[in-house]
């Protein structure tokens, strides 16, 4: 049966998930696109699958989908060319204390406001072997459609914790012997200077303002990327990716 009415409860509930406050209150978010839906591991709870009436590809998930008219599906889609499939997925809950017991690299993001940058950093963190990404309260929503798309599925494969308090999280990490580094242009230590530690956290600041002064003071070491060209700074996602790549060399065998 094809659902065509805007008054349909399933349609209205899914449409509500385009708004952050509804994602927060419900504990669910929307994942759109065949590749993104295929990426969702079995360890995540998929509440339901929805497809458009014109979707005719093979589904990877063993759930009976709700079928929406193309007109309704276009309303829930956030892309210019909808692929005709989406999933309603339950948010994951993680325990900070358990995560930081591991050796390796952790990423802390302060006021990253562009969801494309946030998703890209999550993707790079996954690629370079980070154990988790911690995202501050002032940052973009980790479960927005743009963030999820920019992560290219990586959000399902690495713990991402949102709405964190930076100072509180850093203090918890320090109690677990995590060495805290922060990217800053106001320092002399280049990322090529090796930091050999079992546990390292990297703090990346806002796209235009960088880190807050009080956040810099929390770090055990400030680091920067040497830029022999005349550019004053790098995009936050690019800078984070370069530093994570350098740090990953320390943890290749972890």
């Amino acid at each position: 049966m094809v659902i065509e009415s805007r008054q349909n409860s399933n349609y209205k509930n899914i449409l509500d998930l385009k708004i952050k406050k509804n994602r927060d209150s419900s504990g669910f978010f929307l994942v759109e696109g065949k590749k993104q839906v295929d990426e969702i591991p079995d360890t995540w709870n998929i509440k339901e699958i929805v497809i458009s009436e014109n979707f005719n590809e093979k589904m990877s998930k063993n759930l009976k989908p709700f079928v929406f008219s193309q007109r309704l599906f276009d309303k829930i889609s956030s892309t210019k060319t909808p692929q005709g499939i989406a999933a309603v997925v339950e948010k994951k809950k993680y325990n900070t204390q358990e995560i930081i017991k591991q050796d390796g690299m952790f990423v802390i993001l302060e006021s990253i406001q562009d969801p494309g940058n946030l998703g890209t950093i999550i993707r790079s963190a996954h690629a370079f072997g980070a154990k988790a990404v911690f995202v501050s309260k002032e940052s973009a929503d980790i479960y927005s459609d743009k963030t999820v798309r920019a992560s290219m599925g990586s959000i399902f494969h690495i713990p991402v914790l949102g709405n964190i308090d930076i100072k509180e999280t850093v203090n918890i990490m320090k109690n677990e012997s995590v060495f805290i580094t922060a990217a800053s242009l106001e320092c002399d230590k280049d990322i090529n200077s090796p930091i050999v530690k079992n546990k390292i956290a990297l703090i990346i600041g806002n796209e235009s303002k960088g880190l807050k002064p009080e956040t810099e003071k929390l770090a055990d070491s400030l680091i920067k990327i040497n830029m022999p060209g005349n550019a004053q700074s790098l995009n936050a996602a690019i800078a984070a990716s370069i530093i994570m790549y350098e740090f990953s060399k320390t943890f290749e065998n972890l």
Side-chain angles (χ1 to χ4, degrees), residues 100-118:
I100 62 177
K101 285 180 180 178
Q102 307 172 81
D103 287 348
M105 172 172 55
F106 308 96
V107 180
I108 303 173
L109 305 179
E110 180 179 75
S111 303
I112 298 295
Q113 296 179 341
D114 182 272
N117 281 338
L118 177 55

Side-chain angles (χ1 to χ4, degrees), residues 4 25 28 43 48-49 65 68-69 88 107 113 142 168 183 197 199 221:
E4 298 183 355
S25 61
F28 289 89
T43 52
E48 54 198 34
I49 299 283
F68 290 160
S69 68
V88 176
V107 180
Q113 296 179 341
I142 63 177
E168 179 182 318
K197 301 286 182 180
K199 301 181 181 186
S221 175

Side-chain angles (χ1 to χ4, degrees), residues 99-107 128-132 134 173 176-181 195-202 244 247-248 250-254:
I99 289 171
I100 62 177
K101 285 180 180 178
Q102 307 172 81
D103 287 348
M105 172 172 55
F106 308 96
V107 180
F128 295 124
K131 301 301 183 183
F134 298 82
M173 288 185 172
E176 288 289 339
S177 301
V178 179
F179 187 81
I180 309 297
T181 63
I195 301 173
V196 182
K197 301 286 182 180
N198 289 335
K199 301 181 181 186
I200 293 180
L202 166 66
M244 283 189 277
F247 279 9
S248 70
T250 304
F251 301 108
E252 287 177 352
N253 296 318
L254 293 180

Side-chain angles (χ1 to χ4, degrees), residues 15-127:
L15 193 63
D16 283 347
L17 295 179
K18 292 171 72 73
I19 300 172
K20 182 181 184 301
K21 69 176 183 179
N22 295 327
R23 294 193 293 270
D24 290 343
S25 61
S26 69
F28 289 89
F29 66 107
L30 193 63
V31 178
E32 187 185 346
K34 188 174 187 304
K35 182 181 185 303
Q36 301 280 33
V37 172
D38 288 348
E39 279 283 341
I40 305 171
D42 294 338
T43 52
W44 285 67
N45 176 32
I46 300 176
K47 183 181 180 182
E48 54 198 34
I49 299 283
V50 294
I51 60 173
S52 74
E53 61 185 325
N54 297 324
F55 183 80
N56 56 15
E57 296 185 50
K58 185 177 180 180
M59 288 176 46
S60 63
K61 306 301 178 185
N62 190 25
L63 284 174
K64 185 177 180 180
F66 290 99
V67 183
F68 290 160
S69 68
Q70 191 63 51
R71 178 176 61 90
L72 289 191
F73 193 92
D74 288 348
K75 291 289 184 181
I76 69 168
S77 174
S78 298
T79 61
K80 291 182 179 180
T81 54
Q83 295 180 17
I85 185 169
V88 176
V89 184
E90 187 174 12
K91 295 180 180 182
K92 273 279 190 181
K93 295 180 180 179
Y94 298 101
N95 185 295
T96 299
Q97 294 278 11
E98 289 298 317
I99 289 171
I100 62 177
K101 285 180 180 178
Q102 307 172 81
D103 287 348
M105 172 172 55
F106 308 96
V107 180
I108 303 173
L109 305 179
E110 180 179 75
S111 303
I112 298 295
Q113 296 179 341
D114 182 272
N117 281 338
L118 177 55
T120 299
I121 293 171
I122 292 169
R123 184 181 181 186
S124 293
H126 177 212

